[in-house]
């Protein structure tokens, strides 16, 4: 148990640790009464350029009398925080076979980690390569346009998040988020992620963390099988009996489906066996600015102050029920080729831990729904593919990306005039007209977004800002239906999970859903015991 004092402010020039002394004063207790203290969370308030400051939540543990102190303070800033460990209940039903997890992204990793710690010896299937080989394959695509459809930015050890900013922000408010953050730190992530309101690891640091998690799973009796794709489910009387893979069949009565949002061939197969529905997602472009211009728009004259973090933004607007917003903002990052199928162009954003690149980029995307592209289960997938093929053709059919400066886009004219902002997409860009590439309602919402966000963040729609396309993998275009027990209604023992199944969006929410499913498995079954 600890006391949490919220909304404690410090100035840019002030030592952040002064927040602890301020919290003690607000609480009305002496330093000697405290057995432990520190900053639990820190955010930046930059709403007014004349008063940019940090806002902290401070935790304090007292020798005794914490409840009485909180009651006496009678202040809404001061709360009593009950620290809860991850609640695990172990079931008694025997497992006939080791649990199988399809996908080694955040959901598969954390589900596998928890199962391995409790003695379930999971087998994890990953269609892509282990990290070192994956990095080489991705580099070959980024540098020479040689795409491997099984190992790329979407597939391979760590999932799609490995080649991103490693952002750990989420809106789900689940207590399991704290456990996930602590485990990330345990496996090599910077300890500051436990305190920052907008934590990130960076793609360079995240790769090491992912490998360390895999090593622990294996040390605890689990197994990760790379280059192994789930190809079919073996069902009997509505129950899972096994799985077919590209490397042969496995007996299984538990399968956690954590394939990620780009496993289109797997979706095709599962649509014949499980209930799947089309769901909303978003499409658009990557928008690229000079990072110093973003900093200036956010911080005004204080831009460049050594205490200030690299600037990042999140902007949104709705018109007649449709939204346009920024997503996956990568400060000091680059726009990367992210295709997973031949003859298609997809973009993503990536930052290293230092976030020290010249440009900033973010997805600038528009919400679409089944009413736009069709209500059949895989119509959203088809819509993504159609856009990605159109982008490939617009880029010259060579994995170069179509691009347009904001001035030309707002004028509705084709063209790309490169000014201060140099495109970072490694395979090169081709001038285009996004009004011709996108359906009119998407192009119009992008225009509305640019104009509205310029008012909110000066410089956002500067004429030489670069738009690079296209962004389609914002979230899964499908949802694999599951019940309250987290299992498919069509196949007992199959647990649709996380982003690919339509139940998460981002590293943190995917990891938490992986934990949620693993906890459900543990609650029903006893640890795996091989009696052979």
């Amino acid at each position: 148990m600890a006391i949490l004092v919220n909304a404690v402010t410090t100035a840019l020039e002030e030592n952040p640790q002064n927040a602890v002394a301020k919290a003690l004063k607000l609480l009305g207790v002496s330093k000697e009464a405290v057995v432990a203290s520190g900053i639990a969370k820190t955010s930046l308030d930059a709403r007014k350029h004349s008063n940019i400051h940090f806002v902290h939540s401070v935790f304090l543990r007292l020798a005794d009398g914490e409840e009485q102190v909180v009651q006496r303070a009678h202040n809404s800033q001061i709360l009593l925080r009950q620290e809860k460990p991850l609640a695990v209940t172990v079931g008694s039903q025997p497992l006939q076979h080791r649990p199988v997890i399809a996908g080694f992204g955040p959901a598969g990793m954390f589900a596998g980690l928890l199962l391995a710690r409790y003695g379930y010896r999971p087998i994890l299937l990953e269609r892509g390569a282990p990290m070192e080989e994956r990095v080489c394959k991705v580099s070959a695509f980024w540098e020479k346009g040689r795409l491997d459809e099984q190992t790329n930015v979407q597939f391979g050890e760590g999932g799609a998040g490995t080649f991103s900013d490693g952002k750990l922000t989420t809106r789900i408010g689940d207590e399991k988020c704290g456990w996930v953050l602590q485990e990330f730190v345990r496996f090599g992530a910077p300890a500051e992620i436990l305190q920052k309101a907008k934590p990130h690891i960076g793609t360079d640091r995240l790769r090491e963390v992912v490998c360390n998690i895999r090593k622990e799973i294996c040390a605890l009796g689990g197994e990760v099988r790379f280059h192994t794709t789930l190809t079919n489910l073996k069902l009997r009387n509505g129950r899972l009996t096994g799985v077919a893979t590209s490397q042969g069949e496995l007996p299984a009565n538990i399968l956690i489906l954590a394939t990620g949002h780009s496993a289109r061939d797997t979706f095709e197969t599962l649509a014949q066996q499980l209930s799947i529905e089309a769901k909303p997602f978003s499409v658009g472009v990557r928008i690229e600015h000079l990072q110093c211009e973003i900093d200036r728009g956010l911080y005004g004259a204080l831009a460049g102050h050594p205490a200030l973090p690299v600037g990042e933004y999140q902007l949104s607007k709705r018109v007649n029920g449709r939204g346009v917003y920024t997503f996956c903002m990568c400060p000091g990052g680059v726009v990367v080729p992210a295709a997973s199928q031949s003859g298609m162009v997809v973009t993503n954003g990536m930052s290293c831990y230092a976030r020290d690149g010249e440009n900033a980029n973010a997805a600038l995307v528009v919400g679409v729904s089944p009413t736009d592209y069709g209500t059949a289960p895989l119509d959203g997938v088809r819509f993504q593919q159609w856009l990605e093929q159109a982008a490939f053709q617009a880029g010259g059919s060579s994995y170069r990306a179509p691009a347009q400066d904001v001035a030309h886009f707002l004028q509705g004219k084709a063209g790309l005039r490169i000014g201060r902002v140099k495109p970072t997409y490694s395979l090169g860009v081709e001038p285009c007209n996004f009004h011709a590439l996108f359906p009119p309602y998407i192009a119009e919402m992008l225009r509305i977004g640019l104009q509205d966000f310029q008012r909110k963040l000066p410089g956002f729609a500067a004429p030489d800002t670069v738009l690079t396309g296209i962004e389609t993998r914002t979230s899964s275009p499908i949802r694999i239906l599951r019940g309250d027990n987290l299992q498919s209604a069509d196949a007992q023992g199959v647990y649709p999970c996380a982003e690919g199944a339509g139940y998460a969006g981002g590293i943190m929410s995917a990891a938490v859903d992986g934990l949620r499913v693993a906890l459900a498995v543990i609650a029903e079954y006893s640890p795996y015991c091989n009696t052979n």
Side-chain angles (χ1 to χ4, degrees):
M1 189 179 298
I3 296 173
L4 197 65
V5 184
N6 294 311
V8 181
T9 63
T10 58
L12 295 186
E13 306 293 346
E14 196 174 355
N15 186 332
Q17 292 303 317
N18 288 352
V20 176
K22 292 182 178 183
L24 284 171
K25 184 177 180 180
L26 192 64
L27 198 59
V29 299
S30 66
K31 186 177 181 180
E32 290 70 28
V34 178
V35 279
S37 64
I39 295 174
K41 196 70 67 178
T42 295
S43 60
L44 181 71
D45 187 340
R47 290 174 293 178
K48 295 182 179 179
H49 291 174
S50 60
N51 183 29
I52 297 177
H53 57 275
F54 292 103
V55 182
H56 311 276
S57 292
V58 176
F59 76 87
L60 302 163
R61 291 192 182 91
L62 307 185
D64 55 50
E66 289 179 341
E67 290 187 47
Q68 292 83 350
V69 169
V70 171
Q71 289 172 2
R72 186 179 67 238
H74 196 62
N75 187 323
S76 60
Q77 287 179 239
I78 301 171
L79 306 170
L80 198 62
R81 183 176 69 176
Q82 184 72 40
E83 296 174 336
K84 298 180 182 178
L86 191 66
V88 180
T89 301
V90 179
S92 59
Q93 185 175 336
L95 266 175
Q96 295 177 303
H97 309 289
R98 296 165 69 182
V100 176
I101 302 173
F104 196 58
M109 278 192 294
F110 278 90
L113 179 62
L114 194 65
L115 287 169
R117 283 190 181 163
Y118 281 83
Y120 291 79
R121 299 179 58 207
I123 297 172
L124 293 100
L125 312 178
E126 171 52 56
R127 71 165 62 206
M131 190 63 68
E132 185 175 353
E133 182 183 345
R134 184 185 185 192
V135 170
C136 291
K137 294 278 190 180
V138 170
S139 296
F141 180 49
W142 287 356
E143 295 167 9
K144 300 178 181 178
R146 296 202 298 260
L147 175 65
D148 186 317
E149 291 192 331
Q150 298 302 318
T151 299
N152 44 61
V153 168
Q154 309 297 341
F155 303 135
E157 184 170 16
T162 302
F163 292 91
S164 68
D165 187 47
K167 273 180 286 295
L168 304 178
T169 50
T170 181
R171 297 179 180 179
I172 61 175
D174 193 299
E175 291 180 349
K176 299 178 192 68
C177 291
W179 193 88
V180 171
L181 290 173
Q182 289 168 359
E183 290 299 314
F184 272 130
V185 171
R186 182 173 177 269
F187 288 107
E192 66 187 33
I193 67 172
L194 298 175
Q195 297 180 343
K196 288 192 172 182
K198 296 181 179 180
H200 86 284
I201 299 178
T203 185
D204 48 343
R205 301 284 291 270
L206 186 57
R207 295 173 193 178
E208 177 186 353
V209 171
V210 167
C211 291
N212 289 339
I213 293 175
R214 182 241 300 168
K215 290 173 184 176
E216 172 141 329
I217 290 172
C218 294
L220 293 171
E223 183 181 350
V224 182
R225 300 184 182 182
F226 294 106
H227 302 295
T228 305
T229 305
L230 176 72
T231 58
N232 212 340
L233 308 181
K234 300 297 181 181
L235 304 175
R236 183 182 303 138
N237 299 324
R239 298 178 63 93
L240 182 73
T241 60
V243 296
T245 80
S246 57
Q247 302 300 320
E249 293 189 7
L250 282 172
N253 52 313
I254 296 295
L255 170 67
I256 298 176
L257 277 172
T259 59
H261 58 36
S262 295
R264 291 166 171 170
D265 52 352
T266 303
F267 297 162
E268 292 272 2
T269 298
L270 295 177
Q272 309 303 313
Q273 299 175 295
L274 307 179
S275 296
I276 295 178
E277 64 182 15
K279 64 173 276 291
F281 59 102
S282 301
V283 299
V285 295
R286 276 273 151 185
I287 185 164
E288 202 161 13
H289 305 87
L290 291 176
Q291 181 64 56
C292 63
E293 289 296 310
I294 294 300
D295 293 347
R296 192 158 25 250
L298 291 170
Y299 303 142
L302 286 172
H305 191 288
L308 286 172
V310 178
E312 53 186 314
Y313 57 80
Q314 187 173 349
L315 303 164
S316 64
K317 183 175 180 61
R318 292 190 71 80
V319 178
N320 297 325
R322 193 185 298 276
V324 55
Y325 62 99
T326 63
F327 169 80
C328 186
M329 195 265 166
C330 296
V334 294
V335 178
V336 299
S340 58
Q341 287 185 281
S342 299
M344 302 185 193
V345 163
V346 185
T347 57
N348 195 16
M350 187 182 82
S351 296
C352 290
Y353 174 71
R355 290 178 160 179
D356 56 359
E358 184 178 8
N359 286 5
N361 74 81
L364 175 64
V365 292
V366 176
V368 295
S369 71
T371 57
D372 298 310
Y373 53 76
T375 56
L378 299 180
D379 280 351
V381 175
R382 307 281 182 259
F383 184 61
Q384 286 178 327
Q385 291 173 316
W386 173 70
L387 286 172
E388 291 167 16
Q389 289 167 344
F392 182 76
Q393 294 166 3
S397 300
S398 63
Y399 294 110
R400 290 169 68 86
Q404 191 174 18
D405 61 89
V406 164
H408 276 89
F409 178 80
L410 291 178
Q411 294 166 6
K413 299 178 180 178
L416 171 64
R417 182 179 295 111
I418 297 176
R420 298 170 304 160
V421 184
K422 306 298 188 293
T424 57
Y425 184 89
S426 64
L427 291 172
V429 296
E430 288 290 328
C432 79
N433 185 353
F434 282 118
H435 287 274
L437 194 153
F438 286 116
Y441 64 90
I442 293 177
E444 175 61 13
M445 284 301 294
L446 291 174
R447 182 191 66 78
I448 289 171
L450 284 165
Q451 294 175 336
D452 181 74
F453 300 162
Q454 170 66 26
R455 290 188 287 271
K456 296 174 179 176
L457 177 57
F460 189 87
D464 60 351
T465 297
V466 174
L467 307 175
T468 307
I470 62 173
E471 187 87 7
T472 55
R473 310 291 179 91
T474 53
S475 65
S476 181
I478 68 157
R479 179 171 287 111
I480 304 174
L481 301 185
R482 69 186 188 189
D484 293 339
N485 63 357
L486 306 185
Q487 298 180 54
S488 166
D490 306 292
Q492 186 175 346
V494 175
Y495 292 79
C497 181
E499 194 155 1
Y503 296 98
I507 293 173
M508 284 297 292
S509 59
V512 166
D513 202 53
L515 287 179
R516 188 179 294 122
V517 168
L519 287 167
V521 172
I522 292 171
E524 185 170 354
Y525 296 94
S526 57
Y528 177 75
C529 180
N530 187 355
T531 57
N532 294 331

